[in-house]
Amino acid sequence: MRAFLVTAEEGSLSAAARSLNSSQPTIGRQVSALEDELGVALFERVGTRLELTAAGLELVQHAQAMSDAAARASLTASGQSQAIEGSVCISAGEMFAGHALPPIIEKLRRQEPGIEIEIVASNSTSDLRRREADIAFRAFQPSHADIRLTHPDLFAEKVCDMASRFYASSDYLERAGYPQTREALCGADFIDFDDTGAYRGYLNQLGFNLAPRNFPVRAESHLLQWELAKQGVGIVTTLEMIGDAEPSMQRVLPDFAMVRSMWLVMHRDLKTSRRVKMVFDYLYSELKAICPGT
């Protein structure tokens, strides 16, 4: 049933296999076994994707309910654990995880050697309600900051406000003539996240006038974006605390910043887990100490 649900969510057996850390033939056999047992076809192939049949659409609602119930049971069981040992999974964006977390985790491991730490360094949002992580470090737009209203199953504490800025290498800025105004950036090269135009649209809402030609290079990985920018490929956006610490990089438009509220988030059911609550409180204290202006 889990193989069926993830295949329905991902749209292909290969994507489901990657998500479940399995192989495509294994997932295919499990889905076929379920179809044989039920006596119905659950998927039909449309191009390169698998689409749910009418029977599949009906079943997927029950499969999702089963998955949610299993996740709640797991959360409840984990929430009762009182031992200061075991595994805690932390989710954070690539740049923040790679630059800010290592010294914090090293200190935590020295203080609590019984706790095992798994770090999910991803720019995708981990689903805490499905136990994709125990604790997540997230950035929310101010209009979505009240997580207690938008996600009542989650518990969050605001750590601080963090600024993101434009950065580029000295070599690139010299070639670009050290642009000093938003208008001057109309001829600059930015490193984009994808081909949707969402990043360009966001910047234009902030008063820029950028066109598709301003984004000749794209990389989904923030770490790769940063390395590309360090090599002089173009301008990149990153957290001030990371960008200012890199001597080979300079601020572009030094007075311009994009400020977001940064939050630590966990599922409410895990508040009674001593190890998860201890790691949550520890991260909050350590992150608060390194946040600018706190």
Side-chain angles (χ1 to χ4, degrees):
M1 189 67 77
R2 188 182 184 203
F4 160 68
L5 177 60
V6 177
T7 301
E9 292 173 341
E10 298 290 342
S12 72
L13 294 172
S14 57
R18 288 193 297 270
S19 178
L20 293 173
N21 195 27
S22 183
S23 67
Q24 181 174 338
T26 298
I27 300 301
R29 284 194 299 269
Q30 292 174 349
V31 171
S32 295
L34 182 62
E35 289 180 321
D36 291 342
E37 183 174 342
L38 298 176
V40 295
L42 299 175
F43 293 101
E44 59 182 357
R45 185 167 295 281
V46 179
T48 59
R49 290 184 57 82
L50 292 178
E51 299 288 347
L52 289 167
T53 62
L57 283 170
E58 184 175 350
L59 182 63
V60 77
Q61 301 176 39
H62 301 291
Q64 185 62 64
M66 292 172 63
S67 175
D68 292 343
R72 287 194 299 271
S74 177
L75 285 164
T76 299
S78 299
Q80 303 308 311
S81 173
Q82 298 302 304
I84 305 296
E85 59 183 22
S87 177
V88 177
C89 182
I90 303 166
S91 172
E94 281 184 323
M95 287 294 286
F96 189 84
H99 289 79
L101 285 186
I104 294 176
I105 299 304
E106 190 277 333
K107 182 178 176 182
L108 172 63
R109 287 283 301 132
R110 281 190 284 110
Q111 292 183 8
E112 299 290 344
I115 294 181
E116 302 170 3
I117 298 296
E118 177 184 357
I119 299 174
V120 178
S122 173
N123 302 318
S124 301
T125 301
S126 296
D127 190 341
L128 300 183
R129 288 170 293 182
R130 295 182 63 179
R131 291 302 303 277
E132 293 179 353
D134 298 313
I135 300 169
F137 188 75
R138 293 178 177 172
F140 289 89
Q141 292 283 1
S143 60
H144 299 133
D146 193 354
I147 195 171
R148 292 169 179 81
L149 294 178
T150 57
H151 296 285
D153 291 339
L154 304 181
F155 171 81
E157 289 285 355
K158 180 180 175 180
V159 179
C160 61
D161 292 327
M162 282 190 178
S164 294
R165 297 181 183 273
F166 294 140
Y167 290 89
S169 69
S170 300
D171 289 342
Y172 175 80
L173 289 176
E174 184 174 351
R175 295 199 309 270
Y178 290 93
Q180 301 295 314
T181 65
R182 299 188 184 199
E183 291 73 19
L185 288 180
C186 289
D189 291 335
F190 289 78
I191 301 173
D192 206 343
F193 300 91
D194 51 42
D195 59 359
T196 65
Y199 178 49
R200 172 169 51 90
Y202 171 70
L203 294 180
N204 286 344
Q205 287 179 356
L206 297 178
F208 293 86
N209 186 24
L210 302 173
R213 66 176 181 277
N214 295 114
F215 300 86
V217 177
R218 297 181 292 273
E220 184 178 352
S221 167
H222 290 197
L223 289 173
L224 177 54
Q225 286 186 354
W226 186 238
E227 293 303 316
L228 287 167
K230 286 165 64 176
Q231 293 299 317
V233 173
I235 298 171
V236 70
T237 300
T238 197
L239 288 171
E240 176 184 279
M241 61 183 296
I242 295 173
D244 286 354
E246 174 53 58
S248 67
M249 301 292 279
Q250 297 184 36
R251 290 185 185 182
V252 183
L253 301 187
D255 295 332
F256 174 76
M258 296 159 279
V259 179
R260 288 188 173 185
S261 299
M262 311 302 288
W263 296 75
L264 266 182
V265 190
M266 64 186 293
H267 197 284
R268 286 185 177 276
D269 289 352
L270 291 177
K271 287 181 66 179
T272 55
S273 169
R274 288 184 64 199
R275 72 174 183 276
V276 177
K277 185 64 166 59
M278 189 280 294
V279 172
F280 184 95
D281 292 342
Y282 176 84
L283 289 174
Y284 179 82
S285 175
E286 292 295 313
L287 292 172
K288 193 83 172 175
I290 66 173
C291 280
T294 61

